[in-house]
Amino acid sequence: LFGLYVGDGSIDKKFAKDGEQLRWAKVQFSVPADNRARRKLVSVMKLLLPDAQPTERSDERLISWNSVELAELFTSAGFGG
């Protein structure tokens, strides 16, 4: 998961007015729908976030999950936005 993020991932964040508390976050991966890595990504994410539904861009090249917890996981592992 971290390797895929390093290659083609990003995080969008929005903080509270105090600038410290993370209010909203989206973790994105740029992986085409027909790529075998996409199937593995979706499988792993179902295990990590079973209740979260991914959002897919209309060109089927970007898939994202809205999750503050997931963004915090990547951030705490040393990955930026």
Side-chain angles (χ1 to χ4, degrees), residues 3-80:
L4 186 59
Y5 178 83
V6 168
D8 290 303
S10 64
I11 300 173
D12 286 339
K13 302 176 188 177
K14 182 172 183 176
F15 289 90
K17 289 182 181 181
D18 65 12
E20 294 183 23
Q21 184 180 5
L22 188 57
R23 303 270 303 164
W24 174 89
K26 174 172 58 172
V27 179
Q28 305 176 112
F29 298 89
S30 180
V31 184
D34 61 352
N35 188 302
R36 66 186 177 115
R38 168 75 82 95
R39 291 186 291 279
K40 182 68 173 176
L41 171 63
V42 170
S43 174
V44 168
M45 294 303 287
K46 282 182 182 179
L47 293 173
L48 290 175
L49 301 169
D51 296 328
Q53 294 299 314
T55 302
E56 187 169 6
R57 199 168 64 188
S58 63
D59 67 2
E60 298 183 338
R61 294 196 171 276
L62 185 84
I63 190 166
S64 61
W65 282 264
N66 293 329
S67 172
V68 168
E69 293 82 6
L70 184 62
E72 289 175 337
L73 171 69
F74 278 96
T75 302
S76 69
F79 298 97

